[in-house]
Amino acid sequence: MDLGGEWLAALSDEDLRRLLADADYDDSNWDTITVPGHWRSHPTFASSDGPVLYRRRFSAPRPRPGRRAFLTFEGIFYQGDVWLDGEYLGDTEGYFFAHTFEVTDALGAQDDHLLAVEVACQRPSDLTTKRNLTGIFQHWDCIDPAWNPGGIWAPVRLEETGPVRIRSLKVLCPDATADAATLAIEAELDTVEPCTAVLRTTAGKEGDPADVVEHVEEHTLAAGFNLVRWRVTIDHPELWWPHSLGGQPIYELDVTVSNAPRADPETRAGPETRAGPSRTAAAAVSDRRVLTTGLRQIRIRDFVATVNGERLFLKGANLGPTRRALAETTDDELAQDVTLAREAGLDLLRVHAHITRRELYDAADRQGMLIWQDLPLQWGYGQVRRQAVRQARHAVSLLGHHPSVAVWCGHNEPLALDLTPGGAHTPRTTARLIAGQLLPSWNKTALDRSIRRALERSDGSREVVAHSGILPHPAWGTDSHLYFGWYHGDEADLPVTLARFPVLARFVSEFGAQAVPEGAGFMQPERWPDLDWNGLEAHHALQRAVFEERVPPGQSATFDDWRAATQDYQANLLRHHIETLRRLKYHPTGGFCLFLLADAQPAVSWSILDYERRPKAGYHAVAKACAPVIVTASRPHAAYRPGERVSVDVHAVSDLRRPLDGAVAHVCLRWPGGEMSWRFGGEVPPDSCVRIGRVDHVLPVSASPGVLTLELTLRWDGGSAANSYLSQVS
């Protein structure tokens, strides 16, 4: 029974809190609010940080004898206290997973009911020691800090089971080959009295009812909660692949539990692979869970991934919430983000410091998009270790069956920072960043270690990264966040830095630059140049101080000119960073994740797709730089003088699983009044980066000032790729 729709709501105070669960209280003057939803979407609560009181009257049939009733909240931001018919059921904490209460007695006592909930999503008073594990929804420089995600944001329902209930179900695929795949299944069973539970597992390829494996086991259960583990083997499976390597066959898994009187030890059946004993077959189903999965084996060592034994260079992007109001995101919008990433040539989405709606993971499974999954921890926290460990386990149970999920990450940038949108990196901020990278802290060494241990114990089939963005070093470093050309240095400094410190190149999981979006109505461009700069910094992520250094607004005559300049700057930076990292393919780079795919709200951010999913120039640059085959040169200088030497290495990078037969590269260097050409031929093996040759030429001393162009073309049997670089002769 769905309990969504119209509820009543009011801001909490001490008097109303005492009356919240009273069925006789007159709530006719309360506001009507939609569930699922966020209270900020209602005009009365549009600026409130809560808590907010919710009430819902409903009628429900009484459970039949032998049946049990449960009330489930699929998602509450962030904490809740729940009453039914005046009786306190309990509290909830954690936004992304379900909270369930048994209500058999309450529903059996009467037909009409009052459900009451107090929902709190407190704004953190100290951003360096947060307590709510809401990740980027409450602390991020791409979402308005005035936003509050509070509310009953996911469905609420009543459901019935028999005497034995499947309280939780975790499904992992630890091993998969062309010969056999294994599903490791763990269920927590809840029973009111001791019994023998019959677990029947059916696994079959979606759309192919003839290809089904059945597995039956009996387990003796004690009253209360029981943890049961078993494995199902599927012979000669169709393997799931990322989209660049193969298809995405989906398997449906159906798990039922039936209860029967305890059998005598000498007659109790053991595991069976086709059908159970006649007594088992006759038992009524008490509870059931159905989910989909894919059969594959993913291994990541030193940030180099293999899927089903095939090595894969990971080209990815960070993904924020599709909308900051998670309840208002549609299934199509979630799937569209996956599609747009795939069309840009990406293999990986890093779900950045949050867990989103399940439909995104379903779309990733079906489109062959790998997921790097962060837990909802961003920057600094205080005294949340037990809760974080608990939520890490819930994350594995919720998402472990998705073949797309390849990596768990416990914490993004575990530094005690109070960054807000538009905030400049002051010397104090920079000093704290450096100290946070180098010195031990409770977040890095205590909190993140516990989270990592919980993830590894819950899921031994995937790589676990304790935290992201701590520069690689022996103690606690992992992947790299390198913002050359935005927060520090010049974008052309990246290849030089990586040549000096190769360990920084193992996996670069953040880089990029801000750019003004196509959908810029929120910026009121008609006011140019007198935009509401303070408002844009405070609520729309714009970092004016950095723009003044990188793309100064004062150098553009019109708003459109400035927007184009910011997009060109972003596109140029992303293109050259990606080309640099692809030239380091596997030596030592395992891949990258640019920052950021798309906006969760109207913003001037690092995204390559705006809030309305209109592409910036950076999106097209990324798509070209992430093509399966590219021809690229080490970065030419921005300017050359007449008589100066131009010397660059030319590389071919191929992600294809076949060699580029008959590969020939043509290179042409043009300057005002002259040109020089080269031709290179050779082998380009599968999944490789090959140095084709070197362009080495001294410009004539008589060369006139103007544009210097380096044009590259690679042709092979069945395809071609081209690239070009512009410099100046001055």
Side-chain angles (χ1 to χ4, degrees):
M1 180 179 179
D2 182 10
L3 294 181
E6 291 189 351
W7 289 47
L8 297 176
L11 281 175
S12 179
D13 60 37
E14 288 303 319
D15 292 333
L16 283 181
R17 185 179 288 113
R18 286 192 292 269
L19 297 169
L20 172 62
D22 186 349
D24 296 327
Y25 170 67
D26 181 8
D27 54 16
S28 59
N29 64 336
W30 284 28
D31 287 281
T32 300
I33 194 168
T34 300
V35 171
H38 303 268
W39 71 57
R40 282 288 186 102
S41 297
H42 190 286
T44 300
F45 313 108
S47 59
S48 174
D49 287 319
V52 172
L53 307 177
Y54 288 77
R55 283 164 60 103
R56 168 76 150 83
R57 298 179 189 273
F58 66 93
S59 299
R62 302 188 187 197
R64 302 187 305 276
R67 303 290 288 175
R68 303 170 69 189
F70 296 89
L71 171 67
T72 296
F73 292 85
E74 288 289 343
I76 294 179
F77 259 116
Y78 168 69
Q79 294 168 312
D81 288 283
V82 184
W83 290 262
L84 181 63
D85 299 334
E87 179 182 352
Y88 183 66
L89 298 183
D91 65 331
T92 74
E93 181 172 356
Y95 82 87
F96 63 85
F97 54 93
H99 302 271
T100 299
F101 305 94
E102 183 162 7
V103 292
T104 305
D105 293 342
L107 265 61
Q110 60 195 63
D111 296 325
D112 298 321
H113 306 276
L114 173 67
L115 177 57
V117 188
E118 181 176 27
V119 180
C121 191
Q122 185 176 2
R123 183 183 298 278
S125 57
D126 182 352
L127 291 174
T128 66
T129 58
K130 302 184 293 293
R131 300 298 295 271
N132 289 0
L133 303 187
T134 52
I136 58 179
F137 288 104
Q138 285 194 286
H139 191 193
W140 197 28
D141 46 6
C142 295
I143 287 180
D144 185 354
W147 166 253
N148 189 309
I152 304 174
W153 74 270
V156 183
R157 67 178 188 274
L158 287 171
E159 53 193 6
E160 278 195 4
T161 74
V164 183
R165 172 176 173 258
I166 302 175
R167 189 168 184 250
S168 67
L169 183 69
K170 180 173 73 177
V171 178
L172 306 174
C173 182
D175 300 293
T177 67
D179 294 327
T182 301
L183 292 175
I185 306 172
E186 179 181 292
E188 191 173 72
L189 304 180
D190 169 20
T191 177
V192 293
E193 61 183 17
C195 69
T196 298
V198 181
L199 283 161
R200 181 181 298 273
T201 307
T202 303
K205 186 167 172 286
E206 195 175 63
D208 186 1
D211 185 14
V212 172
V213 173
E214 287 192 337
H215 181 89
V216 179
E217 288 191 11
E218 287 190 3
H219 292 270
T220 301
L221 305 182
F225 298 135
N226 300 261
L227 190 64
V228 179
R229 297 184 178 96
W230 69 101
R231 288 183 173 237
V232 174
T233 299
I234 300 173
D235 293 328
H236 307 295
E238 290 191 39
L239 298 181
W240 184 96
W241 296 91
H243 69 87
S244 58
L245 296 181
Q248 294 79 46
I250 300 297
Y251 281 72
E252 186 173 273
L253 193 72
D254 189 331
V255 178
T256 63
V257 60
S258 307
N259 67 300
R262 283 191 174 182
D264 293 333
E266 61 270 19
T267 62
R268 186 167 63 86
E272 300 192 9
T273 57
R274 285 188 294 275
S278 59
R279 177 174 59 78
T280 298
V285 171
S286 182
D287 200 6
R288 180 184 188 189
R289 294 287 186 273
V290 178
L291 52 82
T292 57
T293 190
L295 308 176
R296 87 291 176 268
Q297 180 173 283
I298 293 179
R299 299 289 184 264
I300 299 178
R301 297 291 181 267
D302 293 328
F303 291 100
V304 175
T306 59
V307 183
N308 303 326
E310 286 282 336
R311 193 169 56 172
L312 177 65
F313 185 84
L314 298 174
K315 298 175 290 187
N318 285 260
L319 179 70
T322 298
R323 292 179 183 267
R324 69 182 186 188
L326 201 54
E328 298 170 11
T329 309
T330 68
D331 296 359
D332 288 344
E333 289 171 338
L334 290 159
Q336 181 191 31
D337 278 353
V338 177
T339 300
L340 289 166
R342 177 171 171 165
E343 290 175 350
L346 304 179
D347 307 293
L348 177 73
L349 286 174
R350 178 188 173 199
V351 183
H352 183 91
H354 76 294
I355 292 177
T356 187
R357 289 175 48 156
R358 300 173 194 176
E359 293 85 357
L360 180 122
Y361 305 98
D362 291 335
D365 290 347
R366 295 182 182 279
Q367 295 194 44
M369 181 64 63
L370 292 174
I371 298 291
W372 166 314
Q373 180 59 60
D374 287 0
L375 294 187
L377 284 87
Q378 164 104 325
W379 299 327
Y381 291 85
Q383 306 307 313
V384 296
R385 177 159 54 177
R386 181 174 297 180
Q387 186 62 228
V389 165
R390 170 177 170 264
Q391 294 196 25
R393 297 190 186 112
H394 276 292
V396 174
S397 293
L398 181 72
L399 302 176
H401 64 280
H402 288 284
S404 55
V405 177
V407 181
W408 298 111
C409 180
H411 192 168
N412 183 58
E413 295 181 351
L415 310 174
L417 302 175
D418 54 2
L419 297 177
T420 56
H425 276 229
T426 63
R428 178 174 175 268
T429 302
T430 302
R432 290 175 65 184
L433 279 168
I434 295 172
Q437 291 280 350
L438 299 177
L439 301 177
S441 69
W442 181 81
N443 275 266
K444 288 205 299 279
T445 58
L447 174 62
D448 294 356
R449 183 178 298 168
S450 296
I451 294 171
R452 178 174 186 165
R453 187 181 302 117
L455 289 168
E456 289 175 338
R457 289 176 176 174
S458 297
D459 185 357
S461 70
R462 295 177 171 93
E463 177 73 4
V464 176
V465 178
H467 37 233
S468 177
I470 300 300
L471 293 177
H473 58 80
W476 45 72
T478 52
D479 51 317
S480 305
H481 296 178
L482 302 177
Y483 283 94
F484 287 100
W486 190 250
Y487 289 128
H488 47 257
D490 184 86
E491 57 89 6
D493 294 336
L494 178 69
V496 176
T497 302
L498 297 185
R500 292 176 179 171
F501 306 102
V503 69
L504 297 180
R506 290 190 310 171
F507 197 92
V508 183
S509 57
E510 288 190 29
F511 60 91
Q514 289 192 343
V516 177
E518 291 299 313
F522 68 94
M523 300 180 70
Q524 298 177 286
E526 66 277 3
R527 295 179 51 176
W528 180 263
D530 299 320
L531 304 181
D532 179 10
W533 297 105
N534 292 335
L536 291 172
E537 286 186 303
H539 303 293
H540 297 281
L542 181 143
Q543 295 183 337
R544 188 180 183 186
V546 185
F547 272 122
E548 289 289 355
E549 179 181 356
R550 304 298 182 183
V551 194
Q555 293 183 5
S556 297
T558 68
F559 178 85
D560 287 342
D561 289 345
W562 184 56
R563 171 168 53 192
T566 66
Q567 291 196 19
D568 287 346
Y569 184 85
Q570 181 196 57
N572 187 63
L573 183 149
L574 291 173
R575 170 209 170 180
H576 289 298
H577 276 32
I578 292 171
E579 288 183 357
T580 295
L581 294 168
R582 291 192 71 181
R583 285 196 298 270
L584 298 174
K585 183 175 185 174
Y586 305 138
H587 301 287
T589 306
F592 62 83
C593 276
L594 66 94
F595 191 82
L596 175 71
L597 182 69
D599 287 325
Q601 65 162 60
V604 182
S605 81
W606 295 261
S607 71
I608 55 176
L609 295 163
D610 70 14
Y611 180 61
E612 299 171 5
R613 298 313 185 254
R614 285 183 281 192
K616 301 177 184 178
Y619 179 83
H620 302 295
V622 167
K624 185 174 181 180
C626 290
V629 178
I630 62 171
V631 57
T632 176
S634 54
R635 186 71 182 277
H637 299 320
Y640 293 89
R641 296 186 302 274
E644 189 174 356
R645 182 181 298 275
V646 179
S647 182
V648 296
D649 290 325
V650 179
H651 292 78
V653 185
S654 174
D655 296 331
L656 300 180
R657 302 293 125 173
R658 62 183 186 277
L660 305 186
D661 295 328
V664 175
H666 295 272
V667 182
C668 183
L669 183 68
R670 290 192 177 93
W671 60 90
E675 64 178 53
M676 185 71 179
S677 296
W678 293 261
R679 180 183 183 278
F680 305 99
E683 295 183 357
V684 180
D687 189 29
S688 65
C689 175
V690 175
R691 179 181 175 274
I692 295 172
R694 169 168 290 186
V695 170
D696 197 337
H697 184 70
V698 177
L699 293 176
V701 294
S702 59
S704 302
V707 177
L708 177 72
T709 305
L710 179 66
E711 295 179 349
L712 313 175
T713 304
L714 179 68
R715 292 186 175 88
W716 65 95
D717 295 345
S720 65
N723 205 345
S724 64
Y725 300 84
L726 299 179
S727 302
Q728 292 289 323
V729 179
S730 58

